Amino acid sequence: MTHHVLVFLDPAEPDGRIEDASRPTLFATDLGVSRGDGVFETLLVLDGHVRKLPAHLSRLASSARMLHLDLPGHEAWERAIVTALAEYQRTVGVLDEVVVRLVATRGVEGTHTPTCWVTAFAPAPSAKRQREHGIDVLLLDRGYDSDVAERAPWLLLGAKTLSYAVNMAALRYAHDRGADDVIFTSSDGKVLEGPTSTVLVAHAETDDGGRVTAKRLVTPQLDSGILPGTSQGALFGAAKDAGWELGYGPLEPDDLFHADAVWLISSVRLLTPVNHIDGKPIGAEPELVKALTEELAGLFDRIA
């Protein structure tokens, strides 16, 4: 069983309150448990450094505003993260690769006081394996069109909420059919996102000698009801500096099949190549896919 460190944010203890993660710690009446009413963020720590912390804290605050959820400030979360990582290092001994999750619920029903905590734990072995060897993906219809986020803001499509039952059901559906992951599409035929990731598509132009002369990186439109990816945003900044052209959709399934490379990108799994979509191979030239992946992975590794 993976060792978890658990730290609650507590006004009486500015650095957070360490609790035993193996013992019951939440009330059954907490609205995060009974209704999935809350928000979360998942971060990666590499060699003791928390990656993209400001971006994650900013998105946590944005998600909370969409839910009208009043959370502690960034400083309180930062202190709790420091406490969690210190306890993890004390009990496990290394901080080479650690997952940190920030969770905030609406709290116990009737109290109007959010429940907030930080956990630290080792990533699943599958994260590294999929990062290195790639994944097979199914396209699944999410059941709404790409304009619904603006038309129905109560769906909270741009928030990272605890209500992930549909996302987990989609992954189980894929696993039952021999695939590793999912790319959601809208009912009007647009590419959206993965259940826990952002979609990236690459096109490259080469000369007669096979040398890459132009590279373009595209992701779905952010106003299509997808979660703005912190990893995608950071990688776009690094790729622009490295000479890549950048674009924001709209993308359709055919764009995936005609791409030179497709990846799912997330904070924990990082840049993960997509080998097949609905059983069809992606990228006509494996060496080009490998080269593009290595270049982007190298850029991503240097992101703070």
Side-chain angles (χ1 to χ4, degrees), residues 2-292:
T2 301
H3 178 73
H4 281 66
V5 167
L6 173 64
V7 177
F8 277 89
L9 277 67
D10 186 338
E13 300 188 42
D15 293 330
R17 185 182 77 250
I18 298 174
E19 295 285 349
D20 184 350
S22 67
R23 298 179 60 83
T25 50
L26 284 179
F27 287 99
T29 51
D30 191 295
L31 291 169
V33 175
S34 61
R35 294 184 178 175
D37 193 357
V39 297
F40 77 102
E41 284 289 326
T42 306
L43 306 78
L44 186 65
V45 177
L46 289 178
D47 297 325
H49 174 70
V50 184
R51 290 168 57 93
K52 304 185 279 88
L53 179 56
H56 282 289
L57 290 175
S58 177
R59 191 170 65 179
L60 182 73
S62 176
S63 296
R65 285 193 297 272
M66 294 178 69
L67 272 69
H68 295 181
L69 191 58
D70 188 18
L71 297 188
H74 289 188
E75 297 81 5
W77 289 102
E78 290 171 359
R79 289 194 298 268
I81 291 170
V82 169
T83 299
L85 291 177
E87 180 66 9
Y88 187 92
Q89 188 170 33
R90 186 187 71 81
T91 54
V92 177
V94 292
L95 291 177
D96 53 348
E97 190 166 346
V98 185
V99 178
V100 172
R101 182 162 293 144
L102 319 180
V103 182
T105 79
R106 201 168 298 278
V108 175
E109 190 166 3
T111 65
H112 306 291
T113 302
T115 306
C116 304
W117 69 90
V118 173
T119 55
F121 52 95
S126 60
K128 183 177 181 180
R129 182 176 67 251
Q130 292 183 357
R131 186 190 314 158
E132 294 176 348
H133 300 290
I135 55 176
D136 294 339
V137 168
L138 297 183
L139 293 177
L140 295 185
D141 188 344
R142 198 177 236 175
Y144 55 75
D145 64 59
S146 58
D147 296 326
V148 71
E150 182 178 355
R151 200 170 61 248
W154 54 86
L155 293 177
L156 301 174
L157 295 180
K160 194 172 179 69
T161 74
L162 294 175
S163 303
Y164 258 47
V166 170
N167 289 357
M168 298 303 98
L171 289 175
R172 289 192 296 273
Y173 182 92
H175 296 163
D176 288 345
R177 285 152 182 79
D180 303 296
D181 213 317
V182 167
I183 293 176
F184 285 123
T185 59
S186 64
S187 58
D188 55 342
K190 301 297 188 294
V191 173
L192 297 174
E193 60 189 343
T196 62
S197 59
T198 304
V199 178
L200 293 178
V201 174
H203 296 278
E205 297 178 11
T206 59
D207 60 20
D208 293 339
R211 185 176 63 89
V212 175
T213 57
K215 299 165 290 187
R216 180 171 173 78
L217 195 60
V218 185
T219 197
Q221 290 175 294
L222 297 181
D223 61 358
S224 59
I226 66 173
L227 185 73
T230 62
S231 297
Q232 171 268 315
L235 183 58
F236 261 40
K240 182 179 180 181
D241 292 341
W244 287 68
E245 299 177 18
L246 306 177
Y248 287 89
L251 290 172
E252 299 180 354
D254 278 351
D255 296 315
L256 303 179
F257 294 114
H258 294 148
D260 290 307
V262 176
W263 303 274
L264 294 184
I265 185 172
S266 63
S267 292
V268 174
R269 199 167 46 181
L270 305 179
L271 188 71
T272 302
V274 175
N275 297 330
H276 298 84
I277 298 178
D278 290 347
K280 300 176 183 177
I282 300 301
E285 300 180 40
E287 288 304 314
L288 179 59
V289 173
K290 182 180 178 182
L292 294 174

